[in-house]
Amino acid sequence: MPSLSPLSLVRNGNVEAPPVTREAAARLVREACDGAIAYAMEAGDDCSVQFCTFEREARERAFAIGRAVIVLFLVVAEARIAAAIPPSLRIGARKFRRAPAQARNLNTMLGIVRYTRMYLRQVVSGPTETIRGFHPADGELGLTDDRMSMGVLS
């Protein structure tokens, strides 16, 4: 597993775009599972593979499956949350409108995952020093601003 650092959560380099449909996310889970099965069968047939080597690789593949399942959960939850929010809404005296979805890295117990979530931007008239917005899914799912899951923080 790659080392984790604060920069690995904000610098994306050559990171692939996260899946945005439940079908694409589910396909990633299936591919990770199929890869793990194929590896176990190939390694079992190879007389040169020691259990210690297999176990290390199996752990990495299990974590990859876990990360794919987390992304699937986030994609499905985001779709549910976004479907319930109108194009614009008022919260107290503040008015918000949908803005383009934003990708985010999240450090989980199984490693870093990348997903996309809707952003609601505050609508203001005239100049303002601070225009605020929020990601509805973050609040509803209990995700923090620091890009760390509660499992990592606890």
Side-chain angles (χ1 to χ4, degrees):
M1 181 162 56
S3 64
L4 300 177
S5 71
L7 290 179
S8 67
L9 291 173
V10 294
R11 289 188 182 158
N12 299 313
N14 296 328
V15 175
E16 291 182 28
V20 293
T21 66
R22 67 176 52 216
E23 293 78 16
R27 185 172 50 253
L28 292 177
V29 173
R30 280 191 219 79
E31 289 170 0
C33 289
D34 290 346
I37 292 167
Y39 173 72
M41 294 173 71
E42 290 168 13
D45 281 338
D46 186 344
C47 62
S48 67
V49 175
Q50 295 290 307
F51 181 76
C52 181
T53 303
F54 170 78
E55 186 177 31
R56 275 194 302 272
E57 179 64 24
R59 179 180 181 266
E60 292 304 315
R61 289 176 183 265
F63 276 35
I65 293 168
R67 288 190 301 272
V69 169
I70 288 171
V71 170
L72 176 59
F73 167 81
L74 292 168
V75 166
V76 172
E78 168 64 22
R80 172 184 49 81
I81 294 163
I85 296 176
S88 66
L89 72 145
R90 191 171 291 281
I91 299 174
R94 298 167 62 194
K95 185 175 179 182
F96 295 87
R97 66 169 173 76
R98 285 181 181 232
Q102 298 177 346
R104 177 189 203 202
N105 290 348
L106 178 66
N107 188 3
T108 73
M109 293 188 329
L110 301 175
I112 296 172
V113 299
R114 187 159 176 80
Y115 67 104
T116 304
R117 76 261 204 263
M118 178 181 57
Y119 185 69
L120 291 178
R121 183 176 310 277
Q122 185 177 357
V123 177
V124 295
S125 57
T128 181
E129 289 185 25
T130 306
I131 298 176
R132 297 203 171 132
F134 66 100
H135 300 277
D138 290 0
E140 187 162 330
L141 297 175
L143 298 173
T144 62
D145 290 341
D146 61 7
R147 301 173 192 232
M148 303 282 201
S149 73
M150 292 309 289
V152 170
L153 292 173
S154 59

